Amino acid sequence: MSLIFSSVVAAPLDEVFAWHARPGAIHRLTPPWQPVGVVREASTLDGGRAVLGLPLGLRWGARHTEFAPPHRFVDELDSAPLRWALKWRHSHEFAAEGDGTRMTDRVETPVPAALLRSMFAYRHRQLAADLAAQSAAREAGDRPLTVAITGAGGFVGTALWSFLSTAGHDVVKLVRRAPAAPDERRWDPDRPAADLLAGVDAVVHLAGESIAGRFTEAHRHAIRSSRIGPTRALADLAAATGVPVFVSASAIGFYGADRGDEELTEDSERGEGFLADVVADWEAATAPAAAAGVRVVNVRTGLVQSPAGGTLRLFHPLFAAGLGGRLGDGRMWQSWIGMDDLVDVYHRALYDGGLSGPVNAVAPRAVRNIEYTATLAKVLRRPALLPVPSFGPKLLLGEQGARELAEANQLVRPAALAKAGHRFRHPELEPALRHLLGRVSQP
């Protein structure tokens, strides 16, 4: 026996077991700092098989070999060549304990327990936090919905659809290729089919070209064209079909590249620059839905924190190697949000009828770049002694990209969420980074 990890989750036994049996559970439980991707989920806990992608093209295939609901299921490594060199038998055990559930992971493997403990600690924290968020949402009026999502295979989309699915919602993934699964529908961004949203209670529109990259004319065109037209076409369809809720991605780029120390809320005026223009037109493209009585929410997202994507994906290896440091003088404000808190904001936008229009999806306390970099270095136990000169971002992003992305200075407050009494999982930066990077102290 290599590892036994146990904790009590504040949720009933049947609910905890059912959560694990729903699509998306393996996505929610996979630590974001690990170089692992979900290739295929198991179709069932009763004899199904999951496949994970590992570095160097390796595959980790595990089959569920025992199934005794709601108390136990087992998976065993069965993929070559790993199964010839590595034994892995993982027993997931559940037992009622008071008003909650004791969840115990028992793993038989030659891998030292010290290398596995942070992974299982993350899984238990993530499960407890997701169940708590889903329970609070039900108390606030959440009910099972059919939710159509564009961009479901992306950085934010994967986290969102898996969370919604484990919460008991039916998720329809709108994809631009031929559908490959029963939960997918073909979506033409320019001319969506008239029946695309049939039976749908809400739309979450996330698709759009990544803004990361050098701000060439071609890149700027891709950023703009992938957002404005498709959003308007989907909003028109939502209006025509009577979908009650339309939630669209947006960005704090609306406020412009440099607003100094001005506190920015949803009532603040738009700023200047390419991204401010794009975001303003992007939000305006949802107007047909709002005019038809659809409740529209524009989620103005800040700097999303996850080592699986965004800026932290770039910074993490640099800081882990002791090569990180502040950008320039480090005085610019960074309005950030943890990935799980962003997922909670999207979830709230679906069920909270009091939210409409722009909603700033940022943590309550923005930090200056010098504090951000010092905190990341502290979490990773590395120095942050090498400041990045101003010409560095310009080489990668061009002058405009550096100004509007790397050097953006925006002190954004989540006023709409504060008014709604929203609770963040990680309102402070250091605990958020510790959770996401597996650096939480273990008992």
Side-chain angles (χ1 to χ4, degrees), residues 303-370:
L303 298 172
V304 183
Q305 300 301 295
S306 171
T311 56
L312 186 54
R313 185 176 185 177
L314 300 176
F315 292 154
H316 181 209
L318 290 175
F319 277 75
L323 300 176
R326 70 180 189 273
L327 292 175
D329 64 7
R331 294 288 298 168
M332 69 282 286
W333 286 104
Q334 296 188 314
S335 297
W336 62 277
I337 187 169
M339 173 61 85
D340 296 318
D341 275 312
L342 178 59
V343 164
D344 287 347
V345 173
Y346 273 102
H347 186 205
R348 184 172 197 128
L350 293 173
Y351 68 80
D352 187 344
L355 286 185
S356 64
V359 173
N360 289 337
V362 295
R365 193 177 76 83
V367 296
R368 294 190 187 274
N369 174 260
I370 194 169

Side-chain angles (χ1 to χ4, degrees), residues 39-246:
V39 177
R40 185 175 67 247
E41 285 191 278
S43 58
T44 173
L45 296 182
D46 187 7
R49 185 173 185 268
V51 180
L52 302 178
L54 305 176
L56 303 177
L58 295 174
R59 291 288 184 265
W60 178 287
R63 185 172 298 281
H64 295 297
T65 56
E66 297 180 27
F67 183 64
H71 297 289
R72 188 166 178 260
F73 67 92
V74 176
D75 56 76
E76 299 186 56
L77 176 66
D78 71 349
S79 58
L82 290 177
R83 68 180 179 184
W84 301 328
L86 180 66
K87 178 182 178 182
W88 180 277
R89 187 176 191 274
H90 179 190
S91 177
H92 311 249
E93 300 173 3
F94 309 88
E97 186 166 314
D99 294 331
T101 301
R102 177 165 291 280
M103 187 174 76
T104 302
D105 289 287
R106 300 178 188 272
V107 183
E108 300 173 19
T109 180
V111 179
L115 298 180
L116 300 174
R117 191 163 296 276
S118 63
M119 176 181 74
F120 282 97
Y122 173 87
R123 290 166 66 104
H124 283 232
R125 289 195 310 272
Q126 190 75 348
L127 172 65
D130 275 12
L131 287 170
Q134 292 164 1
S135 176
R138 287 193 297 272
E139 291 179 2
D142 189 28
R143 59 181 179 81
L145 302 171
T146 298
V147 183
I149 302 180
T150 71
F155 172 47
V156 175
T158 297
L160 179 59
W161 82 254
S162 56
F163 175 87
L164 293 177
S165 178
T166 56
H169 298 287
D170 290 326
V171 176
V172 177
K173 301 171 187 175
L174 304 184
V175 298
R176 282 172 274 193
R177 50 172 171 75
D183 63 348
E184 295 181 346
R185 295 182 189 178
R186 178 69 176 269
W187 168 54
D188 182 338
D190 298 317
R191 297 180 180 83
D195 62 349
L196 179 69
L197 303 180
V200 167
D201 300 306
V203 174
V204 178
H205 180 39
L206 301 174
E209 181 76 14
S210 172
I211 63 173
R214 193 171 182 85
F215 270 36
T216 61
E217 183 177 350
H219 186 50
R220 290 194 298 268
H221 175 75
I223 290 172
R224 185 176 184 84
S225 63
S226 66
R227 285 167 170 78
I228 313 305
T231 300
R232 184 177 295 111
L234 202 57
D236 282 334
L237 184 60
T241 56
V243 174
V245 182
F246 189 94

Side-chain angles (χ1 to χ4, degrees), residues 388-442:
V388 178
S390 60
F391 67 80
K394 292 178 183 178
L395 289 175
L396 296 175
L397 303 171
E399 185 172 346
Q400 184 181 44
R403 182 174 64 254
E404 299 205 29
L405 291 178
E407 299 169 358
N409 183 22
Q410 301 153 328
L411 175 53
V412 184
R413 302 297 192 199
L417 292 173
K419 183 178 180 181
H422 186 76
R423 295 187 63 182
F424 287 81
R425 301 191 195 193
H426 296 111
E428 298 290 332
L429 180 63
E430 183 175 336
L433 292 178
R434 288 193 178 281
H435 171 65
L436 289 164
L437 297 173
R439 298 302 180 108
V440 177
S441 298
Q442 302 304 320

